[in-house]
Structure formats: C-alpha cells, structure tokens
Amino acid sequence: MLAVLSGGIFAVPCGIYAQSAPRTVSGTVTDAATGEPLIGATVQVKGVTIGTTTDLNGMFSINLPANRKTLLFSYVGYEAQEIAVGRENYLNVALKQDANALDEVVVVGYGQQKKGMLVSSVQSIAPAELRMPSSSLSTGFAGRLAGVIAVQRNGQPGADQADFWIRGISTFGSATKPLIILDGVAIDANELNGLDPEIIESFSVLKDATATALYGSRGANGVMIVTTKNGKNLDKPVINFRFETALSTPTSRPETVDAVTYMQMYNESVLTRGTGQIPYTQAKIDGTWAGSNKYIYPDVDWYDEMFKNLAVNENFNFNIRGGSSRVDYFMSATVRHEEGMLKNLSRDYFSYNNNYSVWRYAFQNNVNVNLTKSTKVSLKINTQLRDTHGPVKSSENIFGMIMNGNPADMPITFPDDPTVNHIRWGGKAMVKNPVAEMVTGYKDEFQSVLNANLSLDQNFDFITEGLSASALISFKNYSYTQTSRSAGYNSYEISGTHTGDDGLEGYDLEIRGNEQSTTLATSSSTDGDRKIYIQGMINYNRSFGRHDVSAMVVYNQEETALGNPGSLFSSLPKRKQGLAGRLTYGYDNRYLIEANFGYNGSENFAEGRRFGFFPSVAVGYVVSQEKFWAPIKKAVSYFKLRGSYGLVGNDSEETRFMYMSDLSLSGAGYTTGADGEYTLSGPVYNRFENKKITWETGEKLNVGVDLQFYNRLNVMVDLFQEVRSGIFLERGTVPAFLGTATTKVYGNLGKVRNRGLDLSMDYTHQIGKDFFISAKGTFTFARNRVLEQDEPDYLQYPNLSRVGRSVNSFLLYEAQRLFIDNNEVKYSPEQLLGGEIMAGDIKYVNQPDANGNYDNTINSNDRIYAGYPEVPEIVYGFGFSAQWKGLDFSVFFQGTANTSLVMSGFHPFGINNNVKRNVMQFVADDYWSESNPNIYAAYPRLSVVEYGNNTVASTYWLRDASFLKLKNAEIGYTYKKMRFYISGSNLLTFSKFKLWDPEQGGGSGLKYPTQRVFNIGIQMTL
C-alpha cells in the first residue's frame, strides 16, 4: 500500500517487520521536485541521540529502538519533516524545497541571515564546484563566482594559485586584495589556497558596502567568508575517502629556432646593420647542418633538454563526521603531492634530484561541546604544512635562461676528462649554460601554519527570546625555514680544431676563467609571525508576527608580531581594533531594511585621526510577495529589488607609521681638510612627517535584482559603483631643486572610480525519472578610472596624464608600422629611442603637446596609454551538468575579455646587454629583411645589439590577451557508496594570441607554464 504523508513526503513501505524489537530502517532521500538524491541529509530518531546522514546516493540506514517509532528528516533549504514508521523497514522519502526559500541561511559578516531577509550583495557557491585537480583552491574561482576577477599566471607546483580581486581594483598599490575570513578569523590567500573543498561547509563572497562595512578598514576590497564543517548528532560516524591521481602537461610553450636558423639570422643581423661583429663561418653552419660533431657543431634545444612534458600528482583526503547530543566532531586530513617538469638531470650528474617536489599536508579538527542546553564551547584547529624541494634558481630564472641561451654556441657538456675531478660544462662568452645553472644546487623549504580558534556561545533565551552572546579567541603561528645548497661549475670552450690521422675532426678545450669549487655550500634563513585575535559579540534575533528584527554588536582586536624582525619598525607588533554593529528589520518578508557600521582604529595615523567610522544602509522589496503578483507568480516565482549605499575604509599597510618622519642620523656625509683627512656625516630625512594623513574612503553604491522563473531558473544581477578617495600616494611633483629628491612625502592624493555589473544564472530540470540536467553561468564586468593623481596642474603633454585611464593600463609608444625605406626615415620626426634608424625599424607617432604643436622628435613625451588593462575587465563562465541514473557528466567554460598583454624580454641576440639571446620561432617566421620588406611584419629589422627603438614598450608589442577555455570536464559513475570519475582542466584554449597561454600575461612567455591536467579519482562514503 502507498501512504501519502503531509508536507510532501511520500513513504513507500517495502516489507513488514515486527515492531516489538529493535530493528534497522533504511531507504533513500530525494528532492521531491527533481528526484535527485540529497547527499548529506540528516536522519534522526525523534527523542534520542541516534542519527545518521545520507550517502552519495541519498541512501541511509539507521537503528530504530523498540520504543521509538518516529524519524526526523532535514536538509538545508528543504522543509524538515517527520515520519511515523509503521511496519516498514525501507522508506523512499522525498523532501520538498521551501516554498520561497526565505528560511535558507546565508553566511554573512559576523553571522548568518535568512536569504529572504538579505538585502546586501552576497554570492554563495557550493564547495563541490570549487573542486579542481589543483593544489590551490583559487584556481576554481574564475567564472564560477560572479563579482570575482581571477587569473592564473603560473603553473609551478605549490605556486599555481590565481590572483583574484572582488569587483576589480579600486585603488593604487598592493592593497587591492580582499579580506579572507575562515571560521570568523582573517587568513591570507596562501592559507585559503591550502583548504580542501571537502572541509568547506559554506563559501560566500561579500561585495557591497552593506555586506563589508562591518569589517571597516579590512573589508574595503570585499570579503570572502569560508566556514568549515561541524560534526552532527549521528548514530554512527560518516567516513569519507577520496583519492586522485593526475597527469599534468604544459598548456603551451614558446618555440625557439634551431642552431642553423639561429646562425643564419645572426649573420644577417650583422650584415644588415654593419655593427662589426664577427659572423658565424659557413663551415660552422654546414657542420651543424650535417650534424658532424655535436661538440664542435652543437644544436641544443635547451627547453627539450631541461624539461619533460609530463608530471604525476597525487591527492588523498580522509574525513570523519559524527557525534552525539553533547559532543560532535569533524576531522579531516589531506595529503597532496606534486612534482615539477624539470628532468632529473641533477641526478645524472650529481647525487641529488632537484626537480620540484611539493608535499602539502592539511588537517582540520572541529569539536563542539554542549555544556548545557544553552552553552556551547567550540574548538577549531586548521593546520597546514608544506615541504618543498626544488632548484636553487627560481622557476622564472630557469625558464628565462632558455631565452638568454642559444642553440649554437656550446654543448651541454664535453666528455669527461680523467685528469680533472669536475664536469666539463659547455661555455661561451656572454652565454650561461642553462643546464649547469639549473642542476648545480637545490633548495628545501618548510612552511607551517597553525590557526586555532576557541569560542563560547551562550543563549540567553531565559532572559528574553532571541538574545545570545559569543566570545572568540584565536591564535595563529606561521613559520618558514629555508636551506639552500649550491656550488660553482666549470665551463669550457673550444680553443681550436684539428683533423686527426683518421680524418675525423677534433678539438682543443680550455677552461673559462679560474677553476671553481664544486663543493656544495650551505645557506639558510628563517621567518615567521604570530597573531592573537579576540572577539566578543552580542546578538538579538526575533520575530513578532510579521515583523522580523535582528541586532548585533561586535568588538574585536588583533596583534601581529614578526618572528624575525629586521628593523625597529618591524620589531613593533601591528595592532588593530574595531567595533561593528548591524540592525535589520523586515515586514512580512516583503519590506526590508538593514543598517551597519564599522568603527576601526589603525596605527598608521596620528592621534586624532586613528579611528574611522564607516556606515552603510540597504533596503529591499520582495515584489513577488505582494498579492498583485499572484497571477504571474507561476512564471516569475520570485522577484526582489534591493539597493545599498555606504562607506568603507582602507589604511594601507605598505608603509607603517607613514604619518611619522623617518630620520637617518648618518644618511649623508662629506670629506674636507687640506689633505681630505676629515670625514663628517649628518642626518638625512628618508620621509617627512605628515600628521594629516588619514583613511582612504570608498563610497559604494549597489543596485540589484533577484529573480526566479518557474521555480527553476535563478537570476541575480547587480550594478555597482565605488569612488575611492584619499588614496595613499608618494608625492611625485616636488621639484628636485628644493633638495627633497630622495625624501619620501606621503599624502591622501589619489581618487579612483570603479563601476560595473555582475550576473549569475543557474537552472535545474528533471526530465523523466532518471535524467537530470543543470546549467550555470556568471558574468563580471569591472572598469576603473583614475580621477585624481599627484600630477601638475598643467601638463605640456596631456597624453602622459594618468587621469581618465585605468589603474593597470599600459604607457606605450604608439607604433604606426615599419619604415618603408631610408628616405622615409630621413623625412620623419627624429626618433631618439636608441640606435641608428633604418628601413624596417619601427616608426612611431609624434604626439602633439597641450597647444597642438608637434616637436618633430620622438622621445618619452610621445607615449600614450593604450590597450586594455593587464587585469581583465570581463571574466565570465558557463557550463552544464547532466545525470542519468548513476552516470554523471559536466563541462565548464571560462573566459576573459577586455585585457591586454605587452611582449618583452624576447628580442634576439642583444649582445650589448652581455647576453647572446635565443630567437623565438615566430620572429624567424616573419621578420623584415631586404628580401621580405613587409612593413607589417611580425618583427622589425634584425639587430645583433639591442636597439631601444625596436625594443621599448610600444603598441607594436601590444596584444589582445582575451581567451576562452574549456576549463573543466568530468565524467563519473556512482555505484552504491562509491563514485569513480575522470576529469580534466585547461583542456582547450581559444584565443587570438597563439604564442603562449594568454592567461600567463606579458613578457616572453618563458615562465612556468600553466598546466593541462588529466585526473582520475575515486570517492567512497561509509
């Protein structure tokens, strides 16, 4: 028989069991609308402390005592229901979502709010969506979080995190990153990247003034709030395992030329400029072409020699969740191992392997103890350890050596000589041996971070309903140690060649310079800091009929001390304190208002200016709750309008105590006397006093709308603007003749406007019994403009003014094309950027002055702001997922637009800079020459020496860095309590820029490349 229970739960009895004895009841919990299993739904026996949660298939099994007949089912965002169990031993349970989802809880600053009462701009995401085959959590932000701009510039193991900003950039300098809160306490981006998605309960992004004003100076650039999982009152603990193995390979790499092409282009550049360098002989070119002797005629592809195309990574997580009515717990352990792309060449030559190897360990332990029915004590400990092994040289340095080497001048090594006890590395004047530089040493780094939070929550319902208080104390300790071991190496070059009696060509070697010691020398360093944070909070939250009221006030203070200070200022602890409050009111879930304030103190300002007050207010109107909305509520099931306005502050920690003067007592001196026998010194100001320095203030405005169509399609749109004024800047307009050229003078001198929109959409639909689809998309646009800067009132060349430009825009010479011939050079404005100008060199545009006059000279006054900023103005993402029975599949695309890069550091040869640089393949494919006088060639006339005219930053090297990536794809199969899956990331890239991954940004592309990852994993819940 079929029993239909009230509230939308349908129970299908599947068997008969005696009610007089304890027994086991099992079943499944699904979404009543979609039929999809609800993972992690809570199932409890009413009246006792026996409980459990559903597994990956929504299945549960629970022991039902003989004297108990009722089970309670609950899940976030769904109506909690109870079932009186009769003679059944198996239940199919379907929970209905809340009719309007108004009771769903959203994590906000210093607490939680009902979604229906929310009037600020907050974006939440399911932690599972951030799961990527990467060791850094932030690699999953771009395109998934509306309002977040994120780019990944590097693929190095342990350093592949993304740079991210909330709603772009609104100020100068480095103080642009958001505040990150973990379980109520601020952490840095490195700690955030070390979190495993398995431990995250909720992830919220606070974007407007109402959401962030509570954090005052700390929340000026937006706030990310992460809460970790807690235990549950369960009959038996839930145990979860996840193991993954991944193969990573570079997404792309810049190509360089072979030795023959290199020498031919070098000779051409010598002849075309007539600079007098000695060209390569034809015999050397022919010998290299024939491959006669790899030591006399080397042809080395340094990239292929140094790097492999495949690396293996592993990831393991174990977590357990359980507890009782008095004590509950959640514990997690994660181990990740990543290896780099460096070949094990150091092991071929020495006894060690200096390829990158990064081991990361993360532990989360959360324990909650209910001392009484109204008192709870919680302890949350997050520990992260990172053990890194790798080369002494940085990855950027190693990749850069490929550009600063060349394929033709030396082999990697010469054959061993029994008369010497060292390796005979290939060498040449102006050319370092990239392999020798890479392998002669290694570095070990160990970092540890401990965050421990102890909190007390007290419910005061016995005084008045809805009143509560809490206190929190947190301790953080960070430590870092580094040990480096490196040695010199001996390089040799061929001093002459000869032909032996056997007719084979031989060579003579000589060591370059003095013999170097090859014994490893050791150096080490340490660093660290510790922080204590204290917080006390009083809350009031109560409903009176149709009236919902809440209030909160919180006090906090923190102190941070360095473990290894290097100066007087750095030895002094950094201290902050603040007071914040929130008041909300809602009537009938229709009319909403919220007011917040933050009152913060900073050490960076003089007495009388140290505290800043940052208020905000927001209102909301849920139109769909009105009676007149009823006729269209089936189509537009939810419609909310909201708006907010407020102030935020920033106290920039780039320079401490910037209002004070900084005086060096022995900063300058002079020598006098008949014989120069007297030397005296005197004080010098490094920084002048300015007690009027005060807070940067951001004025934020946000207007938003939340929509839901047919209970399936959710849309959230926000328009925003921030005007940040009083931005800290060092004065740049003090004339040098005043004698202050080397003295820093700070002031509140800048003003920036940042505006844009962010949008998110998600859609779910159940088709039939077994097929389920969902789709999601986000779009973020943020454009900033400099409104004020420390510039003279009058500029002779307005094109140099930063006002009206983006904070991250490029100041470049405007390239027109290449010169057609020498006659055009003669009758064009004189270009004073370096070198003798000839046909095939870059021709620049002469810019007019403020009066419209041209000086017929190209110099630094002829630069303009060009292109889009380096940080993208647009980030978007879209994807879908589908599930059919136990099979699931998902794809996600992510892209950026309105962003540019400037190529640099790749120009061939450049021997006047004491290098003999390599040549990139795109240069060899299309450069201006007498036989190819293309005035729009990819590269201008070649030069052995580096000519500033062709290498300065100009629009000739400006490129569109927009891209669209197939960021992630995954296919999985769930069987009982196990799920098997295969996934990949960075699978495809579509971009106008083809030389390297445009997400890496400008330069030569020779840095640790972003990785294409293929991942296989298994997850099991017990």
Side-chain angles (χ1 to χ4, degrees):
M1 93 183 207
L2 175 65
V4 181
L5 306 176
S6 64
I9 292 185
F10 303 85
V12 181
C14 301
I16 298 175
Y17 207 101
Q19 299 185 48
S20 59
R23 56 195 173 106
T24 298
V25 176
S26 58
T28 59
V29 180
T30 58
D31 183 309
T34 67
E36 188 175 2
L38 296 180
I39 303 170
T42 300
V43 184
Q44 287 185 292
V45 179
K46 187 176 181 179
V48 295
T49 61
I50 300 173
T52 188
T53 59
T54 55
D55 62 16
L56 293 171
N57 297 308
M59 299 181 67
F60 70 91
S61 179
I62 190 168
N63 294 324
L64 188 67
N67 59 342
R68 299 291 174 180
K69 300 181 180 179
T70 304
L71 292 178
L72 305 176
F73 295 84
S74 61
Y75 194 70
V76 175
Y78 290 74
E79 296 178 1
Q81 298 290 338
E82 61 181 63
I83 296 179
V85 182
R87 306 172 67 88
E88 311 92 339
N89 67 354
Y90 192 91
L91 301 173
N92 286 327
V93 180
L95 296 182
K96 277 188 175 180
Q97 291 188 6
D98 268 350
N100 51 27
L102 296 180
D103 293 327
E104 182 180 343
V105 172
V106 177
V107 175
V108 295
Y110 297 110
Q112 299 175 333
Q113 283 184 294
K114 292 180 180 179
K115 188 174 182 179
M117 290 287 292
L118 197 64
V119 289
S120 55
S121 182
V122 179
Q123 172 79 41
S124 298
I125 188 172
E129 293 186 47
L130 298 175
R131 187 178 297 133
M132 296 278 289
S134 167
S135 63
S136 298
L137 189 72
S138 60
T139 57
F141 290 174
R144 288 181 169 86
L145 290 165
V148 175
I149 304 286
V151 287
Q152 184 184 0
R153 303 296 195 194
N154 197 308
Q156 180 183 329
D160 62 346
Q161 66 272 10
D163 296 323
F164 56 91
W165 303 264
I166 294 178
R167 289 183 166 173
I169 295 174
S170 301
T171 186
F172 305 117
S174 61
T176 60
K177 298 302 177 69
L179 173 68
I180 304 167
I181 302 293
L182 175 66
D183 290 331
V185 179
I187 62 173
D188 62 31
N190 289 327
E191 295 163 61
L192 174 71
N193 282 306
L195 298 178
D196 192 308
E198 292 287 351
I199 75 168
I200 298 175
E201 183 74 30
S202 66
F203 192 107
S204 298
V205 180
L206 315 187
K207 297 181 284 190
D208 67 348
T210 303
T212 63
L214 288 168
Y215 293 99
S217 63
R218 299 188 301 163
N221 300 313
V223 184
M224 287 183 172
I225 299 182
V226 183
T227 58
T228 57
K229 294 178 179 178
N230 286 308
K232 287 188 175 182
N233 182 2
L234 303 175
D235 182 27
K236 63 179 182 179
V238 176
I239 301 172
N240 183 68
F241 296 91
R242 179 166 54 86
F243 178 76
E244 297 174 331
T245 297
L247 302 177
S248 63
T249 185
T251 52
S252 63
R253 52 159 284 193
E255 298 290 339
T256 54
V257 299
D258 60 75
V260 171
T261 304
Y262 178 86
M263 290 186 285
Q264 290 172 340
M265 292 179 67
Y266 183 91
N267 288 355
E268 180 179 344
S269 66
V270 170
L271 296 174
T272 191
R273 294 284 184 182
T275 49
Q277 284 77 23
I278 300 174
Y280 290 97
T281 65
Q282 189 61 42
K284 181 170 176 61
I285 296 175
D286 292 341
T288 304
W289 177 265
S292 302
N293 185 314
K294 67 178 183 180
Y295 301 109
I296 302 174
Y297 309 107
D299 186 1
V300 183
D301 185 329
W302 294 104
Y303 192 101
D304 283 347
E305 292 291 340
M306 297 167 63
F307 302 106
K308 55 187 180 180
N309 289 320
L310 198 66
V312 181
N313 309 315
E314 300 90 21
N315 182 29
F316 173 76
N317 174 265
F318 164 82
N319 61 74
I320 183 170
R321 195 175 198 177
S324 65
S325 60
R326 297 299 295 270
V327 179
D328 62 68
Y329 57 87
F330 173 79
M331 292 181 285
S332 172
T334 301
V335 180
R336 292 190 176 109
H337 176 242
E338 294 178 283
E339 68 173 30
M341 294 168 48
L342 276 61
K343 289 184 177 179
N344 297 336
L345 299 178
S346 59
R347 180 162 290 173
D348 295 339
Y349 299 111
F350 305 108
S351 60
Y352 54 83
N353 177 9
N354 71 350
N355 184 22
Y356 289 102
S357 177
V358 181
W359 287 91
R360 304 180 73 160
Y361 310 89
F363 306 94
Q364 183 73 42
N365 291 276
N366 296 346
V367 178
N368 301 298
V369 181
N370 295 308
L371 301 179
T372 68
K373 291 183 177 180
S374 62
T375 308
K376 182 174 74 172
V377 175
S378 302
L379 177 63
K380 298 187 175 184
I381 299 176
N382 177 268
T383 304
Q384 298 181 26
L385 311 174
R386 185 166 73 178
D387 191 356
T388 303
H389 178 82
V392 172
K393 303 286 185 180
S394 69
S395 64
E396 190 167 343
N397 192 307
I398 291 172
F399 279 88
M401 285 187 293
I402 297 170
M403 197 66 240
N404 288 330
N406 71 69
D409 279 353
M410 61 186 175
I412 300 173
T413 62
F414 291 100
D416 291 341
D417 183 351
T419 64
V420 297
N421 60 355
H422 56 248
I423 297 169
R424 299 194 299 175
W425 297 98
K428 196 76 172 179
M430 298 185 297
V431 183
K432 290 184 177 181
N433 188 313
V435 173
E437 291 282 331
M438 181 181 77
V439 302
T440 49
Y442 63 92
K443 179 169 62 178
D444 289 310
E445 297 174 296
F446 185 81
Q447 300 178 58
S448 65
V449 182
L450 170 69
N451 283 287
N453 303 344
L454 180 64
S455 62
L456 172 68
D457 295 282
Q458 178 63 55
N459 188 306
F460 288 109
D461 280 345
F462 56 87
I463 297 177
T464 183
E465 183 182 344
L467 182 65
S468 64
S470 65
L472 180 147
I473 182 169
S474 171
F475 174 75
K476 171 192 171 180
N477 189 78
Y478 164 74
S479 66
Y480 169 84
T481 60
Q482 173 190 291
T483 302
S484 299
R485 294 180 172 86
S486 60
Y489 65 91
N490 294 284
S491 58
Y492 288 75
E493 64 179 320
I494 295 175
S495 58
T497 61
H498 56 268
T499 303
D501 295 336
D502 55 3
L504 298 177
E505 192 173 11
Y507 56 86
D508 299 314
L509 287 181
E510 64 179 10
I511 191 170
R512 299 191 66 254
N514 298 321
E515 183 175 342
Q516 303 293 309
S517 170
T518 57
T519 302
L520 289 173
T522 301
S523 63
S524 62
S525 63
T526 61
D527 196 6
D529 60 57
R530 60 187 180 276
K531 180 173 74 175
I532 295 178
Y533 175 82
I534 298 173
Q535 174 182 298
M537 183 163 51
I538 299 175
N539 271 292
Y540 180 73
N541 195 330
R542 192 168 178 179
S543 297
F544 302 89
R546 295 184 178 183
H547 305 274
D548 293 295
V549 179
S550 74
M552 180 274 293
V553 62
V554 58
Y555 170 81
N556 60 72
Q557 68 178 49
E558 69 176 53
E559 176 180 291
T560 304
L562 297 181
N564 188 19
S567 66
L568 173 62
F569 278 173
S570 63
S571 69
L572 301 175
K574 295 181 181 180
R575 295 190 176 102
K576 290 185 177 182
Q577 63 180 161
L579 184 70
R582 175 170 56 223
L583 179 65
T584 70
Y585 170 75
Y587 174 73
D588 197 27
N589 288 322
R590 280 184 290 171
Y591 312 114
L592 314 169
I593 187 169
E594 177 178 332
N596 296 274
F597 77 88
Y599 184 65
N600 295 89
S602 171
E603 64 179 17
N604 278 337
F605 310 124
E607 188 173 354
R609 297 178 181 270
R610 287 178 181 158
F611 287 87
F613 181 71
F614 308 104
S616 70
V617 63
V619 294
Y621 176 33
V622 186
V623 184
S624 56
Q625 291 294 99
E626 297 285 2
K627 292 181 179 179
F628 64 75
W629 198 261
I632 62 171
K633 194 164 187 177
K634 183 177 181 181
V636 186
S637 42
Y638 189 74
F639 178 31
K640 180 200 285 185
L641 296 171
R642 48 187 169 76
S644 67
Y645 172 82
L647 303 179
V648 295
N650 183 17
D651 65 342
S652 181
E653 296 184 354
E654 290 183 58
T655 303
R656 294 188 69 189
F657 311 115
M658 66 175 65
Y659 69 93
M660 298 173 61
S661 61
D662 181 9
L663 186 66
S664 174
L665 297 180
S666 58
Y670 63 94
T671 299
T672 188
D675 299 318
E677 67 273 22
Y678 297 106
T679 299
L680 301 175
S681 62
V684 169
Y685 275 101
N686 297 320
R687 180 177 68 234
F688 282 141
E689 176 186 275
N690 183 357
K691 290 188 176 181
K692 294 184 178 181
I693 287 179
T694 188
W695 297 84
E696 285 185 12
T697 302
E699 188 177 357
K700 292 193 175 189
L701 175 68
N702 189 92
V703 178
V705 58
D706 300 337
L707 291 162
Q708 186 182 72
F709 300 94
Y710 296 100
N711 289 314
R712 298 185 186 278
L713 176 63
N714 297 292
V715 180
M716 181 184 294
V717 184
D718 284 270
L719 300 174
F720 63 86
Q721 175 176 288
E722 176 182 356
V723 177
R724 185 80 62 90
S725 58
I727 296 173
F728 305 112
L729 287 177
E730 180 185 346
R731 278 203 176 274
T733 57
V734 180
F737 62 75
L738 293 179
T740 62
T742 60
T743 303
K744 296 180 183 297
V745 182
Y746 288 98
N748 298 100
L749 306 172
K751 188 174 184 180
V752 172
R753 184 190 66 218
N754 182 45
R755 57 172 53 157
L757 69 90
D758 50 64
L759 175 148
S760 66
M761 302 175 64
D762 63 81
Y763 173 81
T764 60
H765 185 53
Q766 181 78 27
I767 302 174
K769 178 182 178 182
D770 299 319
F771 190 61
F772 173 79
I773 59 171
S774 66
K776 180 177 182 177
T778 69
F779 179 87
T780 301
F781 169 71
R783 171 172 290 170
N784 59 58
R785 287 292 180 264
V786 177
L787 301 181
E788 295 178 10
Q789 176 147 329
D790 185 34
E791 294 180 350
D793 293 335
Y794 172 78
L795 283 174
Q796 185 179 0
Y797 288 91
N799 49 288
L800 299 178
S801 174
R802 199 177 180 187
V803 174
R805 315 296 182 181
S806 170
V807 171
N808 299 106
S809 56
F810 299 101
L811 185 60
L812 308 171
Y813 291 93
E814 185 179 1
Q816 184 176 346
R817 50 173 169 77
L818 304 182
F819 280 106
I820 299 173
D821 52 33
N822 291 335
N823 197 47
E824 184 184 19
V825 174
K826 181 179 179 180
Y827 292 101
S828 296
E830 184 180 10
Q831 300 189 172
L832 303 177
L833 307 182
E836 179 186 357
I837 310 303
M838 304 174 67
D841 287 332
I842 300 175
K843 180 180 181 180
Y844 296 104
V845 176
N846 190 22
Q847 304 296 332
D849 64 15
N851 299 314
N853 300 320
Y854 296 86
D855 61 3
N856 281 328
T857 300
I858 304 297
N859 55 29
S860 59
N861 292 326
D862 292 291
R863 293 172 296 166
I864 64 170
Y865 284 93
Y868 287 107
E870 183 180 18
V871 175
E873 290 185 335
I874 294 175
V875 172
Y876 59 93
F878 57 91
F880 73 91
S881 63
Q883 181 176 347
W884 180 73
K885 295 186 176 180
L887 188 66
D888 61 86
F889 174 73
S890 65
V891 293
F892 187 79
F893 291 85
Q894 182 261 316
T896 66
N898 288 12
T899 181
S900 300
L901 63 83
V902 175
M903 300 168 60
S904 63
F906 69 93
H907 301 283
F909 314 126
I911 63 173
N912 55 330
N913 290 329
N914 202 32
V915 294
K916 201 171 180 184
R917 205 173 289 126
N918 212 333
V919 177
M920 300 186 76
Q921 186 63 50
F922 88 93
V923 175
D925 292 339
D926 183 21
Y927 64 92
W928 188 98
S929 66
E930 301 291 346
S931 60
N932 179 41
N934 178 11
I935 60 173
Y936 299 104
Y939 197 83
R941 178 190 285 264
L942 296 175
S943 173
V944 169
V945 297
E946 187 163 305
Y947 272 25
N949 185 83
N950 293 340
T951 62
V952 294
S954 74
T955 57
Y956 207 85
W957 309 118
L958 182 69
R959 299 291 186 271
D960 184 351
S962 302
F963 64 83
L964 172 65
K965 290 185 175 183
L966 175 53
K967 190 68 175 180
N968 188 252
E970 181 170 315
I971 185 170
Y973 180 73
T974 302
Y975 177 74
K976 294 186 177 180
K977 296 185 177 183
M978 293 183 292
R979 180 173 180 266
F980 306 88
Y981 56 94
I982 299 174
S983 64
S985 65
N986 289 331
L987 297 175
L988 295 171
T989 301
F990 307 95
S991 175
K992 295 179 181 178
F993 186 75
K994 306 296 184 182
L995 300 183
W996 58 81
D997 183 355
E999 191 172 7
Q1000 291 184 240
S1004 65
L1006 282 168
K1007 60 178 73 172
Y1008 205 109
T1010 53
Q1011 300 290 295
R1012 180 179 294 111
V1013 181
F1014 302 93
N1015 184 63
I1016 184 170
I1018 180 173
Q1019 186 163 10
M1020 179 184 298
T1021 302
L1022 303 177

